[in-house]
Amino acid sequence: MTEIKRVGVLGCGLMGSGIAQVAATAGYDTVVRDVSKEIWDRARAGIEKSLAKLVEKGKLPAANREAALKRLSFTTATTDLKACDIVIEAVTEDLALKNALFQELDGLSGPATIFASNTSSLTIAAMAAATKRGDRFVGLHFFNPVPLMPLVEVVRTVTTSAETFRRAFAFARSLGKEPVAAKDNSGFIVNLLLVPYLLDAIRAVEHGVASVPDIDKAMQLGCGYPMGPLTLLDFVGLDTTYKIAEIMFAEYREQRYAPPPLLKRMVIAGLNGRKSGKGFYDYSADPPTLVDLGI
Ligand code: 3HC
């Protein structure tokens, strides 16, 4: 089977740019597609900053940073990914958008090319079925911040061939990640357990169980988590979490996945967390200050 040499990444938001960074750092020629130069410029600046940090901390030799940056290219044309051996999709959680991109590439990509989605909660089967390569379709779910988090969930859906799954698993390992095998159920392993916890933390705020900083402090110091749940929500993005919760609620019809009203209100107000400057905390100050949500 063809060796993976060239990697395509669809979308260079928080996750796509992290995936592109680790692919280029691992030695793959990496082509990233997104809709505008402004978005690439932001992604490239983020990647440069992250690589510089890794060099500064002695986690990456300086020469590897330069080599990684040289292996990265950006485009607006999906067709520029046609020579890639694996294409990883990391656009917003919108099935129609994801399927349109996969369908555009399907007829152009080589027969051995694997299509992978970094979806957090959508069904891999629904994307695989939109293409003619259901046997060469997997989920590759990375975690934020991608350059630092070691886990990748490798998701096998009902049509994925054993050979594709094996290649995708080996590819995740070649990125320096620790892969785990997951079935194609909404949320896979991590979000199945993490999302209800994060939503419960918002419910705890709604019910006045404790203040936002105290809920965070309690879970950090009481359970040894690196971040409290409300800080983590700001980090992942409230809009992203809202979308994931909606998808998981539609799939399981279980109350624990239902987005709480406070989450919805905050997303409507644009309080999406770090990426918008404000969520539960205001990031214009260092250290961040608490946002007054009037509750
Ligand atoms: N690249 C390189 N370096 C980075 C970085 C990046 N993208 N992000 C952070 N760093 C650096 C920081 O700059 C910092 O460097 P410094 O010590 O020189 O200041 C260093 O890493 C450590 O960061 P922090 O000081 O902020 O402190 P932490 O020790 O808390 O580490 C963390 C940061 C790794 C993000 C840690 O807080 C953590 O593990 N948090 C939990 C993250 C998590 O749970 N992620 C999963 C989210 S769920 C998900 O992604 C799934 C999706 O489907 C929703």
Side-chain angles (χ1 to χ4, degrees):
M1 198 43 88
T2 326
E3 199 195 329
I4 293 175
K5 291 201 191 93
R6 186 184 283 258
V7 175
V9 180
L10 291 166
C12 60
L14 215 51
M15 298 303 284
S17 57
I19 295 167
Q21 179 182 328
V22 296
T25 307
Y28 294 107
D29 286 328
T30 305
V31 192
V32 186
R33 182 264 177 200
D34 213 318
V35 290
S36 73
K37 189 172 176 307
E38 290 74 49
I39 297 176
W40 311 341
D41 287 345
R42 203 180 328 130
R44 192 187 283 278
I47 291 171
E48 282 175 5
K49 195 170 155 205
S50 173
L51 288 171
K53 197 100 213 166
L54 294 170
V55 170
E56 187 190 307
K57 301 197 110 189
K59 290 186 179 165
L60 184 75
N64 292 26
R65 170 184 55 183
E66 299 316 317
L69 289 170
K70 281 204 189 101
R71 286 187 206 107
L72 266 177
S73 60
F74 293 84
T75 180
T76 49
T78 310
T79 51
D80 285 345
L81 275 63
K82 67 181 179 205
C84 293
D85 305 303
I86 187 164
V87 175
I88 307 166
E89 167 280 312
V91 301
T92 183
E93 290 290 74
D94 175 340
L95 184 61
L97 172 65
K98 289 174 193 279
N99 283 351
L101 290 167
F102 281 128
Q103 279 169 345
E104 192 181 347
L105 261 183
D106 199 18
L108 302 168
S109 300
T113 298
I114 294 176
F115 282 3
S117 173
N118 176 60
T119 183
S120 307
S121 47
L122 289 165
T123 312
I124 301 297
M127 287 171 257
T131 70
K132 294 191 176 71
R133 60 179 76 221
D135 55 328
R136 285 149 289 156
F137 210 113
V138 283
L140 277 181
H141 185 219
F142 293 80
F143 294 83
N144 183 26
V146 179
L148 301 188
M149 302 306 276
L151 185 70
V152 176
E153 292 174 320
V154 185
V155 184
R156 185 172 181 175
T157 191
V158 287
T159 54
T160 312
S161 71
E163 173 63 9
T164 298
F165 182 76
R166 190 197 58 72
R167 288 179 72 207
F169 207 85
F171 170 72
R173 236 185 217 135
S174 77
L175 297 178
K177 299 294 181 195
E178 199 52 64
V180 291
K183 297 243 170 69
D184 183 20
N185 61 287
S186 183
F188 314 127
I189 306 168
V190 172
N191 280 338
L192 190 79
L193 302 175
L194 178 66
V195 171
Y197 158 69
L198 295 178
L199 300 180
D200 274 346
I202 301 174
R203 288 184 192 108
V205 175
E206 283 178 330
H207 298 155
V209 167
S211 69
V212 166
D214 278 356
I215 292 171
D216 273 345
K217 191 193 271 187
M219 294 312 292
Q220 256 192 300
L221 302 185
C223 294
Y225 291 172
M227 287 175 171
L230 302 157
T231 302
L232 184 54
L233 276 156
D234 275 359
F235 187 68
V236 168
L238 272 71
D239 51 343
T240 304
T241 307
Y242 181 69
K243 269 198 185 130
I244 296 173
E246 287 266 67
I247 294 166
M248 293 183 77
F249 183 65
E251 175 82 5
Y252 297 116
R253 313 285 164 113
E254 286 178 25
Q255 195 57 33
R256 62 197 167 132
Y257 299 109
L262 176 60
L263 175 60
K264 187 173 180 183
R265 304 293 177 275
M266 289 177 74
V267 172
I268 291 169
L271 295 167
N272 290 328
R274 269 191 208 211
K275 63 177 151 189
S276 66
K278 272 188 198 176
F280 287 99
Y281 298 92
D282 181 342
Y283 296 88
S284 59
D286 189 17
T289 52
L290 194 61
V291 170
D292 181 4
L293 296 170
I295 44 175

